[in-house]
Amino acid sequence: MRRKTPAPLPQRFGLDPARMRLPETGSWPTVRAHLADRLPLVTQDVIDSMFTERRIADLSGPLELDAPYVPGGVVWFHRELPVEVPVPFPIGVVHRDEHLLVVDKPHFLATIPRGKHIQETALVKLRRQYDLPDLSAAHRLDRVTAGLMMFVINRSDRGSYQTLFRDRLVHKEYEAVAPVNPGLVLPTTVRSRILKERGVITAQEVDGPPNAETEVELLEQRDGLGRYRLRPKTGRTHQLRLHLTRLGIPILGDDFYPVLTERPLDDFTRPLQLLARTLGFTDPITGEERKFSSRLALTAWTDYPSWASDASRRSR
């Protein structure tokens, strides 16, 4: 596998610079003119400040305002960062060694920079907090799901750990709080075909050969609610949420299923009651058996009135 050319700019606020290849054909006299066309939502004043603040570079170093356009060339740059709503919950460290950083991600915190969530993401916060510029995520966890996230500390180890998740060699268990359906026979295995279209916020179950499988077990119940153990055998987008909705027991706090509900980004009430509880695997670097367990609890089970009260405005 060919190695990527190292960026000529250092990280800024825990973020790597964006990489842009310049088209082979074009009549732009300067890189500045090309960026004005390529980034129509960015004003010319902001583009100019990116140059004067030395936030645009090629392999020879930072570029000047009049740097000529080079067909087929490559430039790197740091964008202006959006104003973000701070996520007011800490990231708990579960384990750290020379290879791995395993944390408890809180509800409402995105895993990696994307869309409206850049600095308020687990990856960027951890890079800055622990001075780990090469830190990378070994897998993903939905922004609204809490629990175990595994990060790789060294760039050279990244592929080995990410391959574990790609090849489904990691045993994962989740917990959820959802209604109890007395007519539902559990444990059960749910299989369906899930598709997620680019640009559509929700996923859908469609006809066809199953590509998603989840084992569902009821651990305990009281007052019409159950605490469930979920063992996904596949990793489709929103798989657990869709499968419990399919069973008629949608997870408490789910704004997507069965009905999509808009939620402001500064609303941290009634979090989705889904927790990534355990991760287990054979370490590809050391060969040892690893098992990590979340230290978090789902509030709708431990303190339902607190979870249900909008006045509390606290996530657990």
Side-chain angles (χ1 to χ4, degrees):
M1 182 180 297
R2 188 172 65 179
R3 291 180 177 273
K4 292 174 59 176
T5 303
L9 292 173
Q11 289 182 350
R12 180 172 180 258
F13 303 128
L15 292 164
D16 295 319
R19 181 181 185 274
M20 176 186 288
R21 178 170 290 279
L22 306 179
E24 294 284 354
T25 58
S27 57
W28 302 280
T30 62
V31 174
R32 176 174 176 264
H34 174 67
L35 289 178
D37 283 351
R38 188 76 172 266
L39 307 174
L41 299 181
V42 182
T43 67
Q44 190 64 65
D45 286 345
V46 170
I47 291 175
D48 289 350
S49 70
M50 291 164 65
F51 278 97
T52 57
E53 294 171 11
R54 305 178 72 79
R55 288 192 274 134
I56 302 177
D58 62 13
L59 288 176
S60 63
L63 298 177
E64 302 297 333
L65 279 167
D66 59 353
Y69 181 85
V70 179
V74 177
V75 298
W76 287 260
F77 61 92
H78 284 291
R79 298 178 185 265
E80 288 291 295
L81 298 178
V83 176
E84 298 180 57
V85 177
V87 178
F89 313 116
I91 305 173
V93 173
V94 174
H95 172 86
R96 181 179 177 181
D97 60 29
E98 60 182 315
H99 302 292
L100 296 175
L101 177 63
V102 183
V103 304
D104 265 329
K105 184 189 79 65
H107 294 287
F108 302 111
L109 183 67
T111 300
I112 62 173
R114 186 178 181 184
K116 298 178 181 179
H117 309 285
I118 306 298
Q119 294 191 82
E120 289 298 312
T121 58
L123 178 63
V124 172
K125 284 176 171 285
L126 292 168
R127 279 179 174 176
R128 298 182 69 181
Q129 183 175 351
Y130 296 104
D131 191 22
L132 296 171
D134 290 337
L135 193 72
S136 59
H139 61 119
R140 305 281 181 89
L141 200 60
D142 285 350
R143 185 179 75 91
V144 292
T145 303
L148 290 179
M149 272 294 309
M150 193 166 85
F151 293 87
V152 185
I153 291 177
N154 303 309
R155 191 183 302 270
S156 59
D157 296 336
R158 182 180 305 170
S160 297
Y161 289 106
Q162 290 178 341
T163 298
L164 284 177
F165 288 89
R166 184 198 67 190
D167 294 345
R168 302 176 187 172
L169 299 176
V170 179
H171 176 77
K172 295 184 284 187
E173 291 187 1
Y174 290 73
E175 283 187 15
V177 178
V180 170
N181 179 353
L184 184 63
V185 178
L186 296 174
T188 190
T189 299
V190 184
R191 299 180 181 89
S192 69
R193 184 167 188 81
I194 294 175
L195 293 182
K196 173 70 166 65
E197 294 184 20
R198 188 178 183 88
V200 179
I201 193 169
T202 56
Q204 293 186 352
E205 291 183 299
V206 298
D207 293 334
N211 62 3
E213 179 178 332
T214 307
E215 295 178 359
V216 181
E217 177 185 359
L218 178 61
L219 297 176
E220 52 184 328
Q221 60 179 302
R222 64 169 181 260
D223 301 326
L225 294 179
R227 185 170 69 91
Y228 295 86
R229 176 186 290 135
L230 313 176
R231 295 189 180 95
K233 301 300 181 182
T234 53
R236 296 290 170 178
T237 299
H238 300 169
Q239 174 178 321
L240 302 180
R241 299 160 71 177
L242 277 166
H243 279 176
L244 263 66
T245 298
R246 181 185 182 90
L247 293 175
I249 49 172
I251 300 173
L252 266 63
D254 196 338
D255 294 324
F256 284 13
Y257 309 100
V259 178
L260 179 62
T261 305
E262 294 290 334
R263 177 197 284 260
L265 290 178
D266 62 349
D267 183 353
F268 300 117
T269 63
R270 297 170 64 94
L272 178 72
Q273 293 299 280
L274 182 61
L275 174 68
R277 170 61 70 191
T278 65
L279 291 173
F281 57 93
T282 302
D283 194 297
I285 304 297
T286 67
E288 64 182 299
E289 294 300 316
R290 302 269 206 170
K291 184 174 182 180
F292 302 111
S293 298
S294 173
R295 299 168 183 168
L296 299 178
L298 293 171
T299 312
W301 189 253
T302 60
D303 186 2
Y304 181 83
S306 175
W307 176 84
S309 171
D310 284 346
S312 69
R313 301 193 63 81
R314 294 194 303 165
S315 170
R316 289 177 170 75

